[in-house]
Amino acid sequence: MSGLDINAITKAFGNFIAVDNVRLNVPHGTFVCLLGPSGCGKTTLLRMIAGLEEPTSGAIVLDGEDITPLPTHKRNLGMVFQSLALFPHLSVGDNIAYALRIRGASKEEQKKRVDELLTLIHLPGFADRPVAKLSGGQRQRVAIARALALSPKLFLLDEPLSALDAKLREAMQVELRQLQQRLGITTIVVTHDQREAMTMADLVVVMGHGRILQAAPPIEIYRKPADAFVADFIGITNLLPAEVDSAGRTTILGTAIPGLAMPAGVTKASVSIRPEDVHLGEPGGRAITGQVTFVRDLGGTIETFVEVGSTSIIAVATPRERPNVSVGAKVGVTLPPESCVVLGS
Amino acid sequence: MRREAPKSFADYTPLLFPGVMLVVFFVVPFSTMIAVSFFKRNPAGFYTPDFVIDNYARFLTTFFAGVLGFSLMLAVLVAVCCVSIAFPFTYLLTKRSRRVQTLWLVGLLSVLSLSEVIIGFAWSTLFSQTAGITNLFVALGLMDKPVALLPTFGAVLAGMIYQALPYTILVLYPALVRLDPTLLEAARTLGASPVKAFFNVVTPALRNTIVATLIMVFVFALGSYLLPQILGRPRHWTLSVLITDQAIYQSNMPFAAAMAVFLVLISLALVGLTLLVGRRENAL
Ligand SMILES: Nc1ncnc2c1ncn2[C@@H]1O[C@H](COP(=O)(O)OP(=O)(O)OP(=O)(O)O)[C@@H](O)[C@H]1O
Ligand SMILES: [Mg+2]
């Protein structure tokens, strides 16, 4: 079977379980983003795939071959470290050619591949520069080129863009994604920036406390989060309490939402609804009545904070859609049932 | 953090204490020595103030050329041996747990508290026929009968390496601890075995540190004058031994001073050379 198969991997440091029985199947050519809060075991999982950390139990299978016992240097993978780890004593070209050089490739072969990769990362003619003289974004690209020199089967990156400023980071996200698609290489990127994950990934894997909480395509993660943690972690969401009343209707904040069904046997649950799905209108009718407490006009979008009882609801709309609301005004909040996701607890 | 340049005289007061120390304990004695090196020897008394260059002219004999050559060769050998032992050792030490590292460093520091005399006599006992390590080899069946391992060149070398090794390790340790461990990991993901990565990533990345340490051990070894006498034959004696001999036993202060000045100049020249090489590399 082609692709990467992570088979019940566990890593314990003493008594502390950093990665807990993780199973994941990554088809060949997939771009995976490992997403999660700090300390949830993303780096540890990536390092185990790279062979830099030995799993306590479980197996890692690449294209049908169990690579768990192989040392790092025999795994044929490319890795970009958070610190980049460019060799300070070598020029850009020699950094990129390192993997070829220690395999005894000829000088011409090395030069040809270096030129090829420099073109790929849009830095042609940089081969003789010392790495210390590069800008942050350029070093980033050199680290990527160096990792790709041997056309590895697996491309691993640990928070590769976190050191860049916001603008450059967004540009590099797009560039990295395009590069990956051109090469068709199976790629795993660790990040704790959910926007980054949404931009690049085919498959977003949300981790928490050493476990995988949900693994799905980005839009599915966004639309159908598996639980409150995922819903809250990916983007902004409203988490509202829902109950089934005596008449069997599902109610949110005391107002019945026709068309919203709870799973059988559940009478109380959390419901997630994205701010852009919340509609504001005139109070009355079937809408939940609330009061506007704050309006944040960002130009492109307007965020309206509405208080219903003691619960705050955020609604986002474009200026065109949003009727003029002002702080203190009474509004009616409508929650379309098809946008409400009942979360498992 | 931005520091303002000192403006008034008062801003320089923190420099006063080290400045005075430097003058009293370095500039004054060293100037005296330079002056004495041009004085004339007085066999009856000590020396008389004068300005002669005879003391320096005496170097130009094959005997002194030989001693100087041997001293330099010995110091280079000690430096190279120390660094090639200490570098991999210190590298492996930095991979151990903090506890292990602390224990080793404390042990090494305690070796530094031993004086050259104690080290010399300890090794002379260890290399002797009657009580030396060869008795141990005999007991283990590795040798037929105990032999004396001194006075030999090997004994001098061993003693001096033992003396210089703790310094070497302590000088290399900070640089190796600060080395980014992901450099080595990056090399491994690029297909280098750990040993290969050590030689073509760790070593070249720390080239400046290694060169500086070599020079330091070299200068340190150049000043050793007891170990060659205790563990070696007269032909293993270094320039430092001759300086001591001239100054203390022959009472020829001017000549001893001239040799000392010469030794200092060579040391300075080497330090200058290192700085020059370092600057050129940084300019790359
Ligand atoms: N060598 C180690 N020894 C002991 N504990 C470790 C070791 N490496 C990691 N841990 C622990 O394992 C947990 C997961 O660490 P990991 O570096 O994988 O987190 P992460 O998800 O990458 O976090 P971040 O986003 O901050 O990089 C952390 O609690 C960390 O303290
Ligand atoms: Mg991490």
Side-chain angles (χ1 to χ4, degrees):
Chain A
M1 202 204 74
S2 134
L4 176 72
D5 217 356
I6 297 171
N7 205 340
I9 279 283
T10 296
K11 175 72 187 181
F13 293 109
N15 288 331
F16 179 76
I17 312 259
V19 172
D20 190 3
N21 195 24
V22 162
R23 294 169 190 275
L24 184 67
N25 181 263
V26 181
H28 177 80
T30 310
F31 196 124
V32 180
C33 273
L34 283 182
L35 194 59
S38 191
C40 69
K42 308 179 295 287
T43 299
T44 308
L45 179 59
L46 198 74
R47 287 172 60 84
M48 285 194 286
I49 298 170
L52 296 170
E53 209 84 67
E54 204 179 327
T56 310
S57 67
I60 295 164
V61 180
L62 182 60
D63 291 345
E65 182 200 0
D66 184 358
I67 60 167
T68 328
L70 284 186
T72 303
H73 60 277
K74 299 208 173 118
R75 288 197 183 189
N76 187 21
L77 44 85
M79 183 153 175
V80 175
F81 293 80
Q82 191 168 358
S83 65
L84 300 186
L86 293 176
F87 303 134
H89 60 288
L90 297 179
S91 67
V92 168
D94 287 343
N95 259 286
I96 297 175
Y98 181 85
L100 297 156
R101 187 161 58 91
I102 59 171
R103 271 177 182 69
S106 70
K107 277 264 175 285
E108 300 79 67
E109 217 175 313
Q110 290 181 30
K111 192 177 166 339
K112 187 164 155 280
R113 184 70 180 142
V114 167
D115 288 343
E116 227 170 79
L117 285 160
L118 283 174
T119 312
L120 190 71
I121 58 168
H122 309 303
L123 290 177
F126 272 63
D128 294 325
R129 301 249 189 132
V131 288
K133 294 276 156 72
L134 299 178
S135 73
Q138 290 169 339
R139 294 160 142 265
Q140 195 66 57
R141 290 169 214 226
V142 172
I144 289 171
R146 183 181 69 176
L148 292 174
L150 290 175
S151 311
K153 278 189 184 171
L154 206 53
F155 189 25
L156 309 173
L157 304 94
D158 192 357
E159 304 201 22
L161 309 179
S162 59
L164 305 180
D165 64 69
K167 240 195 166 119
L168 190 55
R169 185 156 68 221
E170 303 226 329
M172 284 298 294
Q173 286 165 6
V174 174
E175 216 170 286
L176 192 59
R177 173 61 175 167
Q178 289 171 339
L179 184 71
Q180 184 268 345
Q181 288 197 314
R182 208 163 342 138
L183 301 175
I185 183 172
T186 312
T187 302
I188 304 180
V189 178
V190 167
T191 171
H192 47 225
D193 177 352
Q194 51 98 11
R195 259 182 79 86
E196 193 166 299
M198 303 289 285
T199 310
M200 302 190 294
D202 297 312
L203 184 68
V204 174
V205 176
V206 182
M207 289 181 68
H209 301 293
R211 295 165 196 268
I212 291 184
L213 301 174
Q214 190 173 9
I219 204 65
E220 193 181 321
I221 292 253
Y222 188 79
R223 286 280 151 220
K224 298 240 158 6
D227 59 23
F229 182 90
V230 177
D232 205 26
F233 196 79
I234 307 287
I236 302 167
T237 197
N238 294 295
L239 288 177
L240 305 171
E243 276 178 47
V244 179
D245 68 3
S246 50
R249 299 172 307 173
T250 305
T251 63
I252 292 178
L253 298 169
T255 305
I257 309 288
L260 178 62
M262 299 274 255
V266 178
T267 55
K268 264 186 166 175
S270 267
V271 164
S272 160
I273 180 161
R274 297 293 176 185
E276 62 271 22
D277 295 327
V278 177
H279 295 303
L280 298 184
E282 292 302 316
R286 285 179 161 178
I288 306 167
T289 306
Q291 192 171 25
V292 178
T293 53
F294 190 72
V295 177
R296 184 190 282 155
D297 193 340
L298 297 170
T301 53
I302 296 179
E303 292 174 11
T304 312
F305 293 72
V306 180
E307 203 159 83
V308 179
S310 59
T311 312
S312 185
I313 298 175
I314 307 173
V316 173
T318 59
R320 210 185 301 266
E321 296 164 344
R322 173 69 67 238
N324 283 331
V325 286
S326 48
V327 175
K330 287 247 181 290
V331 288
V333 180
T334 315
L335 307 174
E338 66 277 9
S339 307
C340 294
V341 181
V342 180
L343 301 172
S345 46
Chain B
M1 192 169 65
R2 204 181 79 88
R3 295 226 173 99
E4 289 196 25
K7 286 192 204 80
S8 67
F9 181 73
D11 292 341
Y12 287 99
T13 42
L15 285 179
L16 209 63
F17 180 71
V20 167
M21 287 312 203
L22 199 67
V23 169
V24 171
F25 291 107
F26 180 74
V27 177
V28 170
F30 196 63
S31 317
T32 317
M33 196 169 72
I34 294 177
V36 169
S37 71
F38 290 108
F39 287 177
K40 199 174 165 62
R41 186 187 181 201
N42 182 353
F46 215 35
Y47 46 73
T48 47
D50 201 342
F51 188 82
V52 291
I53 54 165
D54 294 3
N55 301 315
Y56 288 96
R58 270 185 74 183
F59 281 138
L60 304 174
T61 59
T62 48
F63 173 69
F64 280 105
V67 173
L68 181 65
F70 175 77
S71 304
L72 294 177
M73 185 275 287
L74 181 63
V76 166
L77 207 58
V78 170
V80 169
C81 289
C82 275
V83 171
S84 30
I85 296 169
F87 191 71
F89 171 82
T90 315
Y91 174 72
L92 293 176
L93 183 63
T94 58
K95 303 275 154 222
R96 303 289 129 213
S97 72
R98 276 220 83 81
R99 234 178 80 82
V100 174
Q101 292 187 32
T102 314
L103 283 176
W104 272 100
L105 292 177
V106 167
L108 288 165
L109 275 170
S110 62
V111 171
L112 288 183
S113 69
L114 301 177
S115 80
E116 206 180 336
V117 181
I118 296 177
I119 293 175
F121 285 109
W123 280 94
S124 73
T125 311
L126 216 55
F127 283 149
S128 70
Q129 187 175 10
T130 45
I133 40 169
T134 49
N135 291 287
L136 211 64
F137 294 156
V138 172
L140 288 173
L142 295 170
M143 282 174 115
D144 289 336
K145 60 176 182 356
V147 293
L149 296 175
L150 86 174
T152 56
F153 178 68
V156 175
L157 193 62
M160 288 180 66
I161 290 175
Y162 176 83
Q163 190 191 14
L165 202 59
Y167 287 100
T168 321
I169 293 170
L170 292 176
V171 168
L172 287 172
Y173 181 78
L176 277 163
V177 158
R178 263 185 282 124
L179 182 75
D180 181 1
T182 56
L183 283 185
L184 193 84
E185 289 178 347
R188 283 167 59 198
T189 61
L190 293 169
S193 65
V195 175
K196 217 176 205 171
F198 174 77
F199 283 111
N200 58 29
V201 172
V202 178
T203 312
L206 288 172
R207 189 173 44 185
N208 285 351
T209 310
I210 292 174
V211 172
T213 312
L214 277 172
I215 298 283
M216 188 216 70
V217 183
F218 170 82
V219 171
F220 178 79
L222 216 49
S224 176
Y225 72 99
L226 272 174
L227 292 178
Q229 295 180 78
I230 299 171
L231 300 170
R233 294 178 193 283
R235 68 185 147 91
H236 300 138
W237 288 3
T238 57
L239 204 58
S240 299
V241 177
L242 295 193
I243 294 173
T244 323
D245 183 54
Q246 289 293 331
I248 296 174
Y249 303 106
Q250 317 285 332
S251 299
N252 190 349
M253 251 338 185
F255 187 44
M259 286 197 283
V261 168
F262 190 69
L263 204 56
V264 169
L265 288 182
I266 288 188
S267 310
L268 282 180
L270 278 158
V271 172
L273 200 71
T274 327
L275 293 180
L276 211 69
V277 171
R279 179 132 359 121
R280 181 151 344 128
E281 260 160 29
N282 288 343
L284 267 179

